[in-house]
Structure formats: C-alpha cells, structure tokens
Amino acid sequence: MLAKNAEVSDQSQHNQDLIAKLKQQLQRVFGYTSFRDGQLDVMLNALQGRDTLVLMPTGGGKSLCYQLPALCHEGLTVVISPLLSLMQDQVEALQAMGISAATLHSGLSSETALATLQQLQRQQIKVLYVSPERALQPSFIQRLQEYQPGFIAIDEAHCISQWGHDFRPEYGQLGQLRQYLPNVPFMALTATADAATQHDIMERLQLQQPYCHRSSFDRPNIRYVVQEKFKPLKQIKDYVKKQKGSAGIIYCGSRKKTEEISESLQQAGIKAAPYHAKLEHALKESTLRQFLRDDIDVVVATIAFGMGINKPNIRFVVHFDIPRSIESYYQETGRAGRDGLPAEALMLFDPRDAQWIQRMIEEQDNEHRRLVEKQKFAAMQAMAEAQTCRRLVLLNYFNEFTDKECGNCDLCLDPPQRFDALEDAQKALSCVYRVGQQFGIAHIVEVLRGSKNQRVLELKHDQLSTYGIGQEQSHEYWFSILRQLIHRGLIVQDIRRFAALQLTEAARSVLRGEVTLELAKPRINLTATRNSITDRGDYNKVLFRRLRKLRKDIADRDGVPPFVVFSDASLVEMCIDYPTSDADMLAISGVGQVKLERYGAEFIDAINHFLNGASERQLFNG
C-alpha cells in the first residue's frame, strides 16, 4: 500500500514538473500566459507516452499541442503533414521563435535534403515536418527506428479515414509505421471528424487506448451572415471594398466563376487572384505565397484552396455559392479569424443554386452516397433558409446542443420582421399567371417594376395589367417576396423549363384573398456587415495601421509571412496597452523572448513615436 502511494505521489510530482516546464516554455518561446481548452491535457498525455486523438476547430490551437511538448522532451518530434506549403510556413514560424525546425519532402533540392539529414544525424533538429510519402520510405523508417522520436504527430488526420476526404493513398497507409515504431506514441489531429471517421482514424493508425479530446465547435469570433443573392458581382465588390484591404477568401462553385470574379475585383482596384485545380502549379504556388505575405488581399477559389492555409489573419470568408454540406461550410468558414479577432462568414444564397446542386446529387450512380449527400445538403439548405440563430443550427448539427442564441449572426443582430404581405403576394402571383407561367424570377420582377427592356417590350408584357404595379419597390424587394412565396409552396420553379415559375393549388386562396399571409420583411441591406470587420473592437485603429505596415516591411526584409513576425492579435493588444519597454512588450500575448530580441525594439520605437506625436498634437490643439 505504501509503495502504491509513493508511486502515485511520484507520478503527481512528475506531472507538476511537466506542467511547470510547459508553462515556462509557453511564456518564454510562444509568448502566451495560459493554455486554451484541452491543450494542457493533450500535451501531458503525449509526454507520458500515451496515444492521443485531438479534435479542435481551425484556430483552436492544434499546432501548439505538438510544438510545445517537442521542446519539453529530449528526442525528435516528427510531424506528418499533407501540404508542402503548410509545412514550410510552420517551419518558418518556429524558426522565428528560435526553435530548430526543418522539413523533408520531394520538393526540396538534393543539397537541402542532404543538409537536413546531416542535421538530423547530429541531433540538431527538434521538430521535423515530413510528407506522408517520405514518412513511408524504408530508408526514412530505418532512420526513425534509430532516432526513436519522442512522438509522431499526424495533422489533418481525417484524411486517413475512408469516411474522410478523398486524398493521397499514402495517408491511409500511415498505420504501417506502428509495426516499426511500437513504443513511439502517436498524436492524430483534425478539425472535423464524425463518429465513424474518429473510429476509422483510431483503427487505421492502431492507436492504443488513446486519450481523446474534443473541443467545442463554436467559433464565437466569427459572425455568420446570409444574404439573398440579387446582383452577386456588385454585392461581392461592395462587400470587399468595405473591408479596407483585409484578407479574405471567396469560394465559388466553378473554376470559371473564380476567374470572372477575380477579374471583376481587380478592375475595381482590389488586389485579388483566382485559384483552382486547373491552374499551373507555379501560378497556384505564387498566389498562395502572395496571399500569405499580404501582397494579395483576396483569393477567389474553388474548394481546391483550403486545407492547410496557415494564415491566421483572414478576416472574412465569402461563399458565392452555397456549399454542399455543413461540414464543408464549417471547415471553409473556419479559415477566418484563426487569431481570435473578429471575422465574418458571408454566404450569398439563391434557391436556384440549391436546385442545381440537388439535381447534380440525383445524378449520382451510387445510391448510398446519393442518400448521404441529399441529407447533408438538406441540412446546409436549412441553415441558409433559417429564421433562427444560425450558430444554433450549426452547433446542433454537430451534436453540440444549445438553445442560447449567439448574438453574433445576422438573425440575432437584425431579427426578421413580419408584415401583412397579402397584397404584395397577390401582385406577384398575378404577374406569374399573366405571363403564362413560362418565365423565371428575373423576368417577373422586370414586369412588376415596369421595366422597358427589350425583352419585356418584344413579348408585349408592357401591355399586361400587372405591368408596373410594383414599381415603388426595388428589384431586391421583389426577388425576396417571390423567393418567400416559393418557400411557402405557393410557387414552384420548373428546372426543366429554365426555372420558370408556376402557381400551385395553394396560390388560389391567396389570389382570392381568402387567407391571411405574413412574410418576412425583405432584408435588402446587410446591417451585420455595415462596417469593416477591422473597425470592431476598442483599440487604436491609426496605430494598428502603422504597426501593420511596420510588420509588413520587416517581413519583406526577412523573407517571411507577416504573421511570423507578430499576429494581428498581438498588434491589437499593443494598440490597447502601448508597450514602451521590454518588460511591457513581453506582457503582450504572442511575444516571447526570441521575438522580443528580433523585433521588439522596432515596435517599441514605433509606439513611442506615435505616442509622442499624439502628445504634441494635444499640446498644439490646447
């Protein structure tokens, strides 16, 4: 009994020593004073030699779960990552903090790869990033057996699963490493994985009684907004202009749209570039590099631009087209605001887009896959059409049940107002009937508003009794009314006849005035996005812009992405606390000893210069 108590006491003391060491390195190297939810438990289990499965949302702090423990044990930490650009970005960030990190993959020159292997031989590398192909090479496995790493981290672990994303076959074979390294603990990390995918990850990697951590799916700093798609190109341009040069991604459903929208933004003076799978590799790499280094503000992309984007200061993600599942929506919107500062996810929604996707799903040959995709898209469509808090819909989908509204989505900030819509509905339904139920929404709106465009005049629709009866309202207003009538089942769109509107039996009683009808007041203006996202928050915006420029100048000088110098979150804190000494600067989150030595003096000088200038202005004005 005494021996057992002593063993428990020793273990407890060992844990306390590990916690103290982790906290010390967290502050000294990374410049943080506290752990995020779940990080400490994951790290302790890894350092104690236990397999771990980590589910944390994008921006939840997954990377720190293996980077910090790497500094607290003697051996090498190996990180298997799917994307070369992501590996390079993380290596640059670690090196900026004074951590000896390197990468091995097929894209390196033979000289660079040989130099890295020699550093490994001399035990001069603490964290090594490798591609899955390299990790499975017999010669590399032999080296790992020789080095016996402290642990192996596998990022984007959902790619291992047959239920995860379609990906390189080598990812699914990583479990083979277990037979060669039976005593080395594995850490699998991913942002999203349902129960089936989690089970598959554990089975394929042969994780042995792993410690599993599952963080909340909630990203409270992201504001979810849905706007009806009326004049999409104009809506996009107006929205991006409001963001004043902040970084953003616009997701589109086709390659053609990425190029059209990108060109339109460029013509409006916005630094934008397209990204899709068919572009030349060199062009894609150049676009990504320019985006990471703040030389491009907006990337207009298909889903080919996604996993592994290591840019914490993306302020907005726009969906020009509705995604096919909430999982995709969550992952793509999750690329915004990884630094914890305010961010926004805007989706433009047109029910016709939904019908097009439904038709594509119906063309699937595999019946099981077709049913799964239909269910997933139905959930996505329900979120787009929701009249209650969008975050509730999102979290409940991931079985994180809550009934508390978030206060940070368009429906919470600007709740839909109801009004007596019988007269407007009668005008719209009558117009659909008068044109012979053979035309789509756009044409109906033109007739209602009394348009003199050529097609209306050629068809003699200017002679109809419904011509111009809705001219007092805007195009957007009537688009919204007609869509709501579709949602209510009073009108259907015939996909086979170019989405022509047709009345249903239910429309008869509305036309006769035999029922009452309430609709939501059309949401023409986006109150949730009236101002730039960077305008939110109580900090000095003028100083922030100056520090941001200084950071860009330093990053260009050193050949690294700006966030490697300091994150936006660190700059915002500087614009609140005004650090003017080394001690003050070390108190800023994200400023460790190495970064203080490398960059601290220039930022302190800039802050002092700003404060002195402010004092002089006050004296002059006084």
Side-chain angles (χ1 to χ4, degrees):
M1 188 68 174
L2 288 174
K4 188 173 183 180
N5 288 340
E7 186 179 329
V8 171
S9 178
D10 289 345
Q11 183 62 48
S12 176
Q13 184 58 50
H14 178 63
N15 283 352
Q16 292 304 314
D17 292 343
L18 281 178
I19 291 171
K21 195 172 184 180
L22 287 165
K23 285 183 175 179
Q24 180 190 30
Q25 296 286 56
L26 181 72
Q27 170 71 52
R28 188 185 71 82
V29 178
F30 293 91
Y32 300 128
T33 56
S34 60
F35 295 99
R36 293 189 187 181
D37 176 51
Q39 285 180 327
L40 182 57
D41 287 336
V42 169
M43 294 176 192
L44 285 174
N45 277 279
L47 288 171
Q48 291 164 358
R50 188 174 178 184
D51 289 344
T52 50
L53 174 61
V54 183
L55 281 83
M56 285 184 178
T58 303
K62 292 191 298 296
S63 299
L64 197 69
C65 288
Y66 55 78
Q67 290 173 346
L68 183 54
L71 307 183
C72 297
H73 67 72
E74 296 300 321
L76 172 73
T77 293
V78 176
V79 182
I80 300 174
S81 181
L83 297 174
L84 307 190
S85 57
L86 173 63
M87 289 194 277
Q88 191 57 45
D89 292 337
Q90 294 212 351
V91 165
E92 287 176 354
L94 290 173
Q95 289 173 344
M97 291 182 284
I99 299 171
S100 55
T103 181
L104 275 176
H105 54 75
S106 59
L108 298 176
S109 67
S110 56
E111 292 82 6
T112 302
L114 179 60
T116 300
L117 290 172
Q118 289 172 343
Q119 286 181 291
L120 274 175
Q121 189 69 37
R122 295 193 293 266
Q123 299 183 352
Q124 293 175 334
I125 294 176
K126 201 68 181 164
V127 184
L128 179 69
Y129 284 78
V130 299
S131 61
E133 292 84 358
R134 171 71 69 157
L136 291 171
Q137 286 182 359
S139 60
F140 186 74
I141 292 174
Q142 189 175 351
R143 287 179 184 274
L144 289 184
Q145 288 177 303
E146 179 186 341
Y147 302 142
Q148 285 295 303
F151 64 91
I152 293 177
I154 299 169
D155 207 2
E156 307 294 352
H158 59 275
C159 298
I160 290 166
S161 169
Q162 63 177 322
W163 304 107
H165 290 204
D166 295 329
F167 212 65
R168 302 200 295 262
E170 290 80 8
Y171 235 70
Q173 299 165 15
L174 289 174
Q176 295 175 16
L177 292 174
R178 202 82 219 215
Q179 59 186 295
Y180 300 106
L181 302 163
N183 299 317
V184 175
F186 279 43
M187 179 187 292
L189 306 102
T190 183
T192 51
D194 57 23
T197 304
Q198 290 175 47
H199 181 268
D200 215 24
I201 291 169
M202 290 188 281
E203 193 172 72
R204 289 191 166 210
L205 283 179
Q206 302 173 44
L207 301 186
Q208 299 158 12
Q209 297 181 320
Y211 170 78
C212 298
H213 172 78
R214 184 179 185 273
S215 291
S216 169
F217 280 90
D218 192 13
R219 295 283 306 283
N221 63 312
I222 298 178
R223 178 174 292 176
Y224 297 105
V225 178
V226 177
Q227 185 181 23
E228 289 191 59
K229 188 188 281 188
F230 298 115
K231 299 175 182 174
L233 272 179
K234 183 179 185 303
Q235 288 172 284
I236 289 290
K237 279 192 284 189
D238 290 348
Y239 178 81
V240 174
K241 282 179 180 177
K242 285 180 184 176
Q243 306 316 321
K244 302 176 182 176
S246 295
I249 304 172
I250 300 172
Y251 282 108
C252 304
S254 72
R255 298 166 190 151
K256 183 180 178 182
K257 285 181 186 176
T258 68
E259 296 181 1
E260 290 174 348
I261 295 170
S262 177
E263 184 178 349
S264 177
L265 292 177
Q266 289 168 7
Q267 290 172 353
I270 295 162
K271 293 184 286 186
Y275 190 107
H276 58 74
K278 290 296 182 181
L279 289 175
E280 291 181 10
H281 177 73
L283 183 56
K284 289 191 290 187
E285 284 297 305
S286 172
T287 296
L288 174 59
R289 187 59 51 187
Q290 288 181 77
F291 186 56
L292 293 176
R293 301 200 174 199
D294 289 352
D295 295 323
I296 289 175
D297 295 328
V298 180
V299 174
V300 188
T302 62
I303 57 173
F305 189 74
M307 188 168 51
I309 299 172
N310 190 30
K311 185 175 173 66
N313 65 331
I314 295 171
R315 297 269 66 87
F316 63 90
V317 170
V318 176
H319 281 92
F320 189 84
D321 301 303
I322 183 172
R324 294 178 68 145
S325 70
I326 286 185
E327 287 92 344
S328 296
Y329 175 78
Y330 179 78
Q331 283 203 330
E332 288 154 14
T333 57
R335 285 158 198 146
R338 288 177 51 207
D339 52 13
L341 295 180
E344 195 157 78
L346 168 65
M347 179 165 64
L348 300 183
F349 178 62
D350 181 343
R352 288 180 300 178
D353 293 344
Q355 291 174 341
W356 177 72
I357 291 175
Q358 287 165 347
R359 186 171 57 183
M360 288 181 62
I361 292 172
E362 287 295 343
E363 292 172 358
Q364 287 271 3
D365 292 332
N366 186 309
E367 184 180 357
H368 176 68
R369 184 166 183 172
R370 183 168 66 246
L371 289 172
V372 170
E373 287 195 19
K374 282 176 70 173
Q375 290 173 346
K376 286 181 178 291
F377 183 66
M380 184 66 243
Q381 188 175 354
M383 181 182 177
E385 296 174 348
Q387 293 293 306
T388 56
C389 172
R390 299 198 194 276
R391 198 178 310 270
L392 287 185
V393 178
L394 187 67
L395 294 177
N396 288 337
Y397 178 82
F398 287 115
N399 297 323
E400 192 173 322
F401 300 110
T402 177
D403 58 2
K404 185 179 179 183
E405 295 187 341
C406 74
N408 194 30
C409 72
D410 58 328
L411 293 171
C412 286
L413 293 165
D414 183 24
Q417 299 176 10
R418 316 295 291 181
F419 78 109
D420 180 356
L422 182 61
E423 185 179 338
D424 282 348
Q426 288 172 330
K427 289 178 180 179
L429 295 172
S430 294
C431 194
V432 171
Y433 178 76
R434 295 293 177 191
V435 300
Q437 304 183 70
Q438 297 179 43
F439 297 88
I441 291 181
H443 186 77
I444 302 299
V445 171
E446 294 289 344
V447 176
L448 281 168
R449 296 197 71 250
S451 170
K452 297 187 183 300
N453 74 29
Q454 187 177 351
R455 183 160 171 74
V456 171
L457 299 178
E458 283 177 354
L459 292 166
K460 295 186 169 34
H461 286 171
D462 58 324
Q463 299 174 21
L464 297 175
S465 59
T466 52
Y467 178 76
I469 61 173
Q471 60 186 341
E472 73 284 358
Q473 299 291 0
S474 67
H475 276 85
E476 293 84 357
Y477 181 91
W478 285 113
F479 264 93
S480 179
I481 294 297
L482 284 160
R483 283 171 178 165
Q484 290 188 65
L485 295 177
I486 292 170
H487 296 161
R488 290 297 190 97
L490 301 175
I491 306 172
V492 293
Q493 289 176 294
D494 190 342
I495 298 175
R496 296 165 300 177
R497 298 173 59 211
F498 305 101
L501 302 187
Q502 298 177 330
L503 303 183
T504 66
E505 183 60 32
R508 191 184 300 273
S509 55
V510 175
L511 284 167
R512 289 175 175 171
E514 296 171 350
V515 294
T516 59
L517 179 67
E518 278 197 347
L519 295 178
K521 215 167 191 178
R523 303 166 68 86
I524 308 301
N525 298 312
L526 270 182
T527 57
T529 58
R530 186 180 297 135
N531 299 318
S532 162
I533 297 161
T534 54
D535 287 340
R536 299 176 200 158
D538 186 16
Y539 61 92
N540 193 304
K541 311 300 191 302
V542 176
L543 178 58
F544 179 79
R545 286 194 290 273
R546 292 189 185 182
L547 296 185
R548 196 173 175 217
K549 183 182 183 306
L550 172 62
R551 178 182 67 179
K552 180 71 169 84
D553 292 341
I554 293 171
D556 289 346
R557 180 192 72 199
D558 293 353
V560 296
F563 65 82
V564 167
V565 179
F566 289 126
S567 69
D568 276 11
S570 296
L571 297 191
V572 165
E573 204 169 317
M574 292 178 198
C575 296
I576 295 172
D577 294 342
Y578 305 105
T580 55
S581 68
D582 286 1
D584 292 343
M585 190 60 81
L586 279 173
I588 298 294
S589 180
V591 181
Q593 192 63 45
V594 173
K595 286 196 176 183
L596 174 68
E597 293 167 4
R598 289 186 181 178
Y599 312 121
E602 291 175 273
F603 281 84
I604 289 171
D605 284 348
I607 293 166
N608 275 321
H609 183 73
F610 175 81
L611 292 175
N612 290 336
S615 298
E616 288 172 8
R617 285 192 297 274
Q618 287 172 356
L619 184 63
F620 180 79
N621 292 336

